[in-house]
Structure formats: C-alpha cells, structure tokens
Amino acid sequence: MKKFALAGNPNSGKTTLFNLLTGSTAHVGNWPGVTVDKREGVYKKLSEPVGIIDLPGIYSLSPYTPEEVISRNYILDEKPDCVINIVDATNLERNLYLTTQLMEIDVPVIVALNMIDEVEKAGDSIDAAKLESKIGLPVVKISALKNQGIEELMRRGFEVSKHPRKGTTVLEGGKLTHLIGDCKIALEGAGVDNALFHAIKLAEMDELEVKMHPKSAGMVEEFKKTFSDDVFGSDFEAIVADSRYKYIAHNYSSVLTKKHKSEKEKLSKSDKIDRVLTHKVWGIPIFLVILFAVFHLTFSEDLLWIGAALPEGWVSLPGTAFEGVFGDGGINSPGVILFNLVDLATSSISDAIGDAMAAGGVADWATGLVVDGIFGGLFAVISFLPQILVLFLFFSILEDTGYMARVAFILDRIFRRFGLSGRAFMPMIMGFGCSVPAMVNTRTLADENERLATIRVIPFFSCGAKLPILTAVAGGIAQITGLGNADLITYGMYVLGIAVAIAAVLIMRNTTMKGEAPPFIMELPSYRTPQFRSLVMLLWDKTKHFIKKAFTIILASTIVIWFISHFSFNWKFLADEQMNESILAGIGQLIRPLFTPIGFGSQLNDWGWVFVVAAITGLIAKENVIATFGTLAACITSGFVADEALEGVDSVAQMISATGIGVPALIAFIAFNMLTIPCFAAVATAKAEMPSKKKFNYTIIFWVVTSYIVSSMVYLIGEWWWTLFIWLAVWAVAITLTVLYNKGKLKNIKLPKISLKKRS
Ligand code: GDP
Ligand code: MG
C-alpha cells in the first residue's frame, strides 16, 4: 500500500484533513501541539487504498522537541510515497518556510493550500497556478474543514507519487551554494540517502544531523575552512534561514493578492478581543465567569435564577409523565432536561423488566441481579451521558474558538515565575476530556521535570468519567439538604481541582521537581467559529466510547459488585437486608477506619462502608463509583425484591439517608475521588510516559497523599470551621521551611522573559 504523509506547521489543519480522508475522529484543537505522535489511517477513494499518516506539527526540519523529531525522522526514514505539505494559506509566508525544506528531500511533495475558505472570506486570493510554476511542486487549494478540493489533492498526489523526485533547493548565492554542492557530492560518494537535504543540514550544523553523521560534520567543517575566513560567520543556521525567507518574500509572496483594508480591520478586531480576554487583571475572573456559565447551562435546575418569578407549576407539568423534566420551580438547563429524559427512559425500562420478571415467576435473586445489579448500576451511569456530552460540547467550543489557548497564555504570565509554563496548561486543559491523551500530550514539554509534574496533576482536571460522581453527589446534596445549587457545587469542585493542580505543581517545581520553565513561545491561534460538523463528530465519538465502556468494564464491575455484596464469606446467599454480612461489606468495614479523617469512615452507621467500597471500584473506571451506588442503593432501600432501581442523584440521596453522611463529608468524598489514583487506563499511561519505575511509584504515592490531605482538609474545615486556622498554620510553616531551604539557591534562578508571538 502506498503511504502519504501529512506534514505542516502546527495548527495548519493536518488532523482535520486526516480525519476527513480516513474517517477517523482524532483530536483537533485550535492550538499548536495537539498531535504529538504519528497516527495512521486509510484513504479509499482512489483506484487503490492509500495509507495516510498524520504527523505532529513542525515549523522546520531542524527540530527542538521530541514530537518534531518524530515528523522529521518519519519523512527521512520511512520514505513515504508522497508528502502532502499542508500550508495554512492565511499565513502563507511563514508556512512556506517548511516547504522550502521539504522540497530538499528526495520525495514527491504536493502542497495543499489549506483554509482557503478563510482566505476567500477575507476577500484575498491566491494564484495557485503561479505558485505551482514558481515552486516546481503541484499546488492544490483545499479546505479541510469544508471538504473542498480534497479529491483533486488526492488525485494529483497519487500522480506525483508514481515518479521518484530528486530534492531541489531555493538556497542560492555564491559561496553558500558552493559549500552545499561540495558537501552533497561528498555525501553521495559515501552512499548517503537524501544527500542534498543532509548536506544543507550539516552546513547548518543542525544538532541532530551532527549527532547522526559526526564524520561528515567534521568534513563539512574542513570544507568551510577552505573558504576565506568568516564568510559564513558563526551562525550558519541564521544565514540559511534568512536566505530562505528572502527567497520566499521575493518569489512566492506575489501569488497572494490581499484586500488590504479588511485584513487590517480583522486583525484589529481580534486584537481588541484579546485585549479584553487576556487582560492582566480581568483575564482570570473572565475565565472563571465563562467556566461558571458553562456549568450553569449544563447543571442548573433554575436557569438564570428566574424560578421564583415563575407562576406555580408553570414548567413542571404536574400530573403528566414529564413532570419535573423541564423544570420544577425553575427552568432546567439543557443538560438537566436531557438528563431527565434519559433517566425517564432508563427507569421505565428497568421497571418494566423487573415487573416482567416478577410476573414470569423468575427467582427473586435473579430479578435482583438483573434489576439492581445490572440495570441499577449501568443505568445509574448511562443517565449521565447527556450531561457529559453537553459539558464536552461547551469545552470543545471554547477550545475550537481559540479561547483555551488564551487561557494558557494568561496562566503563563502568572505562573511562569514559579516554574510553570503556559505550554503545560494545554495538556492540563485536555485533561477535562480524558487524562490519557492529555498525559501523552505532555511530550511537547521540553523540561523533563515540568513534564513529570504535569502528568501527575492532569487527573485533577476532572475528566468526563468523573463527572457522574460530581453531578450525582452534588445533586444528592442539593436534593436532600436543600443546600446550594448542583451547578454551583459542581463548578466549585472543578475549580478546586484546578487550584489543587496548580498548587501541587508549584510545590513540586520548588521542591523535588525543580527546573526552569522554558520560554513559552506559542502563537495565539486565530479566532475561529466552531464547525457544527466536527462538534457532532466529537460528541458521537465520545458517545460510542462511553457506551462501549458501559457495556464492558462497568457492566462487568457491577455484576461482580452485586455478587460479592450478596454472598457471605462462606458462600451463603444473602438477602438485600443482610448485605452487611457480605464479602463486600466485610472488606469495606475492614478498611473504613482509614477514611475516618476524610469523613466517610468509622463515624458513619452500619451502611457507611458503601462509600469506601465505591471509591475503590472507581480505581478501575471512575464511572464505577456511581454504578456501585446504583447497585447498592437499590438493595439498601427496599426489603427483599427491589421494586425500583435508583439512579444517579436518587441513589446518592438514598445513600445519604441510609448512612447519615453529612455535607462536608460528601464534598470530601468528591474531592477524594477527583484527586486520588485515577482509573486503570490513566495509571497505565502515566507509567508509560514516566522515565523510571521509581518516578512512577512516587506518582502513585503523590496521588494518594494529595487526595488524602485535600479531602481531609475539606472535611475538617467543613465540619469545624475553626480548623481552617490549624491548616493555615501548617501550610505557613511548610511554605516557610521550603523557602528557607531554597533561599541561597533562589537568587540564582533566572526568570526567562515571556515571549508571545502573534500571527501576523
Ligand atoms: P493540526 O495542528 O495541523 O493538526 O491542525 P488541526 O487539524 O488540529 O486544526 C487546527 C484548527 O484549524 C482547528 O480549529 C480546525 O478546525 C481549523 N481548520 C482546519 N482546517 C481548516 C480549514 O480548511 N478552514 C478553516 N477555516 N479552519 C480549519
Ligand atoms: Mg494535529
């Protein structure tokens, strides 16, 4: 099978094109550095199937970070049949810089002028035919987002892939060409592939190149000496780069016709928006308000707080099947309405099955297993899918518009001096989706210690799987105690997660994981309108993933939980009300004293072990926490045969009344689950991304200790407010000691300047 590689600058639309060509759903984000590893798929619309490889973004073929090395090596070593060079047409000159390097390799190259829709929208035009004749490579205008020009691109790419191509270069000017020519001949003589490319890189003294071909590097130095002294100066790399840019400006830039005025207007508009959103003082409050709005729209049961002003029973539709679905007192947010609808459906299903089994004379234990064990647990989780999707929708809108990249920029400005760079916030923000890809994304961090610290705190950014815990417990609190709004509690917990993450990184960066934050040079991506199609695709992908997980891991776990909660250690079957004698209860009782300082240990009554047990099942998959509640709640409620499976919020409400747990302990319970060892998949990823077993072991300890400290802090302060002063004192002492310990060394730490490059 032929292989086509997608190469281009970060954020130029490679992954979007990859998804379009192969029908995949890889993560696309409006910020540089989303893709950190190569990814393969197949395009099937040509006469034969063609393999497509999505590579991490690169600005040049002289790489600085590991993921850039992946791209370069792929093109050089794997020798794809064609390189599709994706060029962001709204940013032509800078993108062609890479093109001038790719053309030096002996590989067929085709240039895809992407984002042509935006160019046209701005009223500009690009003469592709003219560019093609100047550059000597086929050029096709496309829009990966709007699916324009794709077939032509692939057809022509397929044509060029049939003929081998020799590298060409735009570098010119007497001595330079001479030197490169000499090197090239020498390398060819030595039988090196891609002689032209390597000759140029050697002449540039490219680090990677010198390492790979030390002998040739020495030879090039000799060559350089044969020219009269100092022609090339010391910074050869800069000379070459300069010469490329000059060439581009002289020869290629004329293909672009700009409608000048509107370009300026557009720039100043996005500048104005940036001035507000990345404001020194208001940037963070604005972020917190936007975040709250998202939670309000997802979790509120009293949208815009207008419930009190509504006429009695106005939205609650009393007496109908939809009673309370759209609101009860206040208007429900879209997230809650969807939640209620799914809840309605799932509980009718499990009721109907329960009734049918009872009527059909099925043994009570079997009915119990199916209704409580399977449906109770499974549906408890599935009913949260709508809210997970709504929250993801909002997060991906924030990401696609380019706002999240601004958040990273604001945070960089504050935390850089403490050794945490804005780059590290990008994978953290990805963690709101799932920790696994987020941990992989940390590969873009150059400082090893910063990378480690970041991996450790990524799970604190509450992922989709933890959402049911937050929502159910917050909902239970709101329902039973009437204290607070579910949206406010959920929001508070997300913010707590972020705060703990930042605090933990800062502590690590100033104690065990010291290092300088490398300068944060990230372009602020342009603001974009999120595309409906890609949002739908993302949500569909999440749904598939979630359903698959529900019917495998979570289903299996709930069945196991049901069994070990209905059998005693001597394998006697137990009725629901005897559950306290079960294996599960035994294990729970045994370890619960450990959780007393967090509020859900020995101080609770006989049923109190359920919290400990639920937290432990969460180590497999975080959804299990609520699935376990679902399974157990149904049994705790009723006498023998469960008459009703209790889902989500109701199951937590049931737990609250059965165990007598209080609000501070419930919040501590959420905090514990958010911060403790994440799910299996995340742990495995963390292990794979860590440099050593020892660092990984410390990471596990770190998770356990952090969750324990923070949640006991939450519990103790919530229960006895004055313990706040004890905690403050403890922290003050700890910080003072650290500062004193570091004192001598602190003076020597240089603070790199924040660099911000903007798209021009
Ligand atoms: P990558 O970093 O090169 O993989 O780029 P992505 O595929 O992640 O895309 C970066 C951003 O550009 C995303 O916000 C995309 O929605 C957007 N994008 C990609 N292709 C196009 C296009 O043809 N037109 C427009 N307007 N936006 C695009
Ligand atoms: Mg990408």
Side-chain angles (χ1 to χ4, degrees):
M1 191 163 63
K2 275 191 196 281
K3 284 185 294 183
F4 287 17
L6 304 179
N9 283 11
N11 217 32
S12 59
K14 295 175 298 303
T15 304
T16 311
L17 180 63
F18 175 80
N19 286 347
L20 187 66
L21 293 176
T22 62
S24 332
T25 47
H27 191 110
V28 172
N30 189 11
W31 43 278
V34 183
T35 311
V36 294
D37 206 348
K38 62 174 195 286
R39 196 180 291 118
E40 308 188 12
V42 180
Y43 179 70
K44 296 183 183 134
K45 292 191 190 151
L46 290 168
S47 55
E48 58 180 271
V50 170
I52 307 287
I53 294 95
D54 183 22
L55 296 173
I58 38 175
Y59 289 108
S60 93
L61 289 173
S62 298
Y64 293 100
T65 57
E67 85 272 7
E68 290 175 334
V69 177
I70 292 180
S71 298
R72 161 171 160 154
N73 288 355
Y74 186 85
I75 299 171
L76 289 176
D77 303 339
E78 306 283 322
K79 303 203 169 52
D81 298 281
C82 177
V83 172
I84 301 181
N85 172 209
I86 311 226
V87 161
D88 172 359
T90 62
N91 215 337
L92 196 60
E93 283 194 19
R94 206 204 51 209
N95 276 252
L96 287 174
Y97 182 72
L98 177 67
T99 311
T100 63
Q101 301 191 23
L102 285 171
M103 63 204 262
E104 287 160 358
I105 301 178
D106 299 342
V107 66
V109 179
I110 180 167
V111 175
L113 286 180
N114 192 29
M115 309 209 187
I116 209 71
D117 57 315
E118 276 195 20
V119 174
E120 283 163 2
K121 208 168 99 199
D124 303 343
S125 70
I126 296 181
D127 189 341
K130 191 167 159 195
L131 182 61
E132 179 164 332
S133 68
K134 285 192 174 233
I135 209 170
L137 299 170
V139 176
V140 182
K141 293 200 248 190
I142 68 161
S143 167
L145 201 62
K146 305 249 153 99
N147 195 355
Q148 290 164 4
I150 306 301
E151 278 175 20
E152 189 194 347
L153 173 74
M154 293 309 289
R155 209 188 55 238
R156 293 192 66 189
F158 194 64
E159 275 312 306
V160 295
S161 74
K162 290 177 184 162
H163 315 286
R165 184 183 148 275
K166 276 280 158 209
T168 52
T169 181
V170 302
L171 295 175
E172 48 186 23
K175 301 218 160 92
L176 189 58
T177 333
H178 199 131
L179 173 68
I180 291 169
D182 287 352
C183 299
K184 184 181 159 211
I185 292 166
L187 286 175
E188 269 170 352
V192 174
D193 270 356
N194 291 313
L196 176 66
F197 173 81
H198 289 295
I200 295 170
K201 287 291 161 226
L202 277 174
E204 285 178 30
M205 296 298 289
D206 172 72
E207 233 174 84
L208 211 69
E209 196 67 36
V210 174
K211 235 188 262 160
M212 272 165 55
H213 302 123
K215 256 205 207 134
S216 320
M219 176 190 75
V220 174
E221 282 309 296
E222 291 305 308
F223 277 146
K224 277 188 188 169
K225 281 185 201 141
T226 63
F227 294 91
S228 58
D229 291 342
D230 238 17
V231 197
F232 299 119
S234 52
D235 199 355
F236 204 82
E237 201 182 340
I239 298 177
V240 174
D242 194 51
S243 149
R244 288 185 200 278
Y245 275 123
K246 273 202 188 117
Y247 188 89
I248 292 169
H250 276 148
N251 297 285
Y252 300 158
S253 298
S254 61
V255 301
L256 174 70
T257 321
K258 274 197 176 177
K259 193 176 147 198
H260 274 289
K261 210 169 142 241
S262 79
E263 182 66 18
K264 251 187 208 153
E265 271 167 14
K266 205 174 122 208
L267 199 73
S268 68
K269 198 168 130 204
S270 101
D271 276 348
K272 267 183 205 152
I273 301 176
D274 274 344
R275 216 167 292 158
V276 179
L277 292 185
T278 63
H279 190 272
K280 264 203 178 89
V281 182
W282 298 111
I284 296 251
I286 290 174
F287 170 60
L288 291 175
V289 169
I290 291 179
L291 200 62
F292 179 71
V294 166
F295 282 87
H296 190 62
L297 286 171
T298 315
F299 300 110
S300 174
E301 303 198 341
D302 184 6
L303 213 53
L304 299 175
W305 307 279
I306 54 171
L310 293 174
E312 190 78 14
W314 190 69
V315 283
S316 57
L317 308 175
T320 68
F322 292 100
E323 182 170 354
V325 167
F326 301 100
D328 187 8
I331 300 175
N332 284 340
S333 61
V336 174
I337 293 176
L338 286 171
F339 172 84
N340 286 338
L341 288 173
V342 174
D343 198 40
L344 205 61
T346 52
S347 46
S348 330
I349 294 174
S350 64
D351 286 354
I353 293 177
D355 290 348
M357 289 180 86
V362 178
D364 285 345
W365 70 267
T367 312
L369 169 64
V370 172
V371 176
D372 306 340
I374 299 181
F375 289 111
L378 205 55
F379 286 168
V381 177
I382 288 183
S383 52
F384 285 102
L385 179 63
Q387 278 175 317
I388 296 178
L389 293 183
V390 171
L391 192 67
F392 274 160
L393 178 72
F394 286 124
F395 277 152
S396 48
I397 290 176
L398 290 183
E399 196 181 316
D400 279 0
T401 50
Y403 179 65
M404 284 305 193
R406 267 88 189 163
V407 174
F409 173 66
I410 306 170
L411 295 173
D412 181 83
R413 202 165 42 203
I414 303 173
F415 294 108
R416 150 157 313 274
R417 71 186 74 237
F418 305 108
L420 179 59
S421 78
R423 191 64 194 76
F425 286 107
M426 299 312 306
M428 292 185 197
I429 288 168
M430 269 176 106
F432 282 135
C434 174
S435 296
V436 171
M439 286 175 175
V440 174
N441 190 268
T442 57
R443 291 183 196 166
T444 52
L445 301 176
D447 184 84
E448 187 65 24
N449 279 341
E450 186 181 31
R451 175 160 184 243
L452 259 169
T454 306
I455 293 180
R456 286 178 179 171
V457 302
I458 280 175
F460 301 171
F461 289 76
S462 210
C463 71
K466 289 179 185 169
L467 193 96
I469 310 177
L470 271 81
T471 321
V473 178
I477 293 174
Q479 187 178 322
I480 282 265
T481 65
L483 263 180
N485 301 315
D487 57 343
L488 202 64
I489 302 174
T490 315
Y491 169 74
M493 295 315 288
Y494 265 74
V495 174
L496 176 74
I498 301 176
V500 172
I502 292 178
V505 174
L506 294 184
I507 293 172
M508 278 189 270
R509 290 292 275 165
N510 290 291
T511 52
T512 57
M513 298 267 122
K514 279 189 204 162
E516 270 181 42
F520 178 48
I521 311 176
M522 182 172 89
E523 291 177 81
L524 288 183
S526 1
Y527 285 107
R528 291 209 168 91
T529 326
Q531 221 57 32
F532 181 72
R533 206 170 55 97
S534 51
L535 289 178
V536 170
M537 232 165 68
L538 178 95
L539 296 188
W540 173 233
D541 197 46
K542 286 279 171 208
T543 310
K544 272 195 309 200
H545 184 77
F546 185 87
I547 298 286
K548 201 172 129 202
K549 209 165 155 194
F551 283 94
T552 50
I553 296 185
I554 298 169
L555 179 62
S557 308
T558 49
I559 294 177
V560 170
I561 290 291
W562 189 85
F563 267 103
I564 57 176
S565 63
H566 284 79
F567 280 92
S568 65
F569 278 105
N570 43 22
W571 290 113
K572 194 169 81 94
F573 178 72
L574 301 168
D576 286 349
E577 63 271 18
Q578 297 166 308
M579 217 160 54
N580 276 338
E581 294 153 39
S582 66
I583 300 176
L584 190 66
I587 300 171
Q589 305 281 17
L590 186 70
I591 43 182
R592 71 189 262 193
L594 288 176
F595 293 83
T596 304
I598 319 181
F600 49 96
S602 304
Q603 63 270 69
L604 300 179
N605 67 20
D606 282 352
W607 292 109
W609 53 268
V610 291
F611 288 96
V612 176
V613 164
I616 291 171
T617 58
L619 298 181
I620 299 167
K622 290 290 162 188
E623 291 94 338
N624 271 344
V625 174
I626 292 307
T628 304
F629 277 175
T631 301
L632 297 180
C635 306
I636 290 180
T637 8
S638 47
F640 185 40
V641 177
D643 33 25
E644 190 183 5
L646 289 171
E647 283 148 25
V649 175
D650 291 330
S651 70
V652 176
Q654 177 57 32
M655 291 296 172
I656 297 175
S657 46
T659 59
I661 193 171
V663 174
L666 283 168
I667 298 202
F669 179 75
I670 307 182
F672 181 79
N673 281 290
M674 261 175 82
L675 305 174
T676 198
I677 305 174
C679 69
F680 247 38
V683 171
T685 311
K687 189 170 179 193
E689 298 293 325
M690 298 257 161
S692 69
K693 184 96 202 319
K694 197 169 136 208
K695 294 260 160 65
F696 171 69
N697 292 341
Y698 281 134
T699 303
I700 297 283
I701 296 172
F702 166 79
W703 283 327
V704 172
V705 170
T706 309
S707 57
Y708 202 84
I709 293 180
V710 175
S711 45
S712 57
M713 213 161 108
V714 167
Y715 170 64
L716 292 173
I717 295 174
E719 199 70 34
W720 302 281
W721 62 271
W722 47 265
T723 50
L724 173 67
F725 298 107
I726 300 177
W727 283 107
L728 287 177
V730 170
W731 283 108
V733 170
I735 293 170
T736 315
L737 286 181
T738 317
V739 171
L740 285 180
Y741 179 77
N742 284 335
K743 210 168 178 190
K745 300 165 204 163
L746 272 179
K747 280 183 217 134
N748 300 328
I749 295 180
K750 273 192 260 93
L751 296 180
K753 284 237 170 66
I754 303 167
S755 350
L756 165 69
K757 239 170 64 186
K758 234 191 111 74
R759 249 173 207 237
S760 54

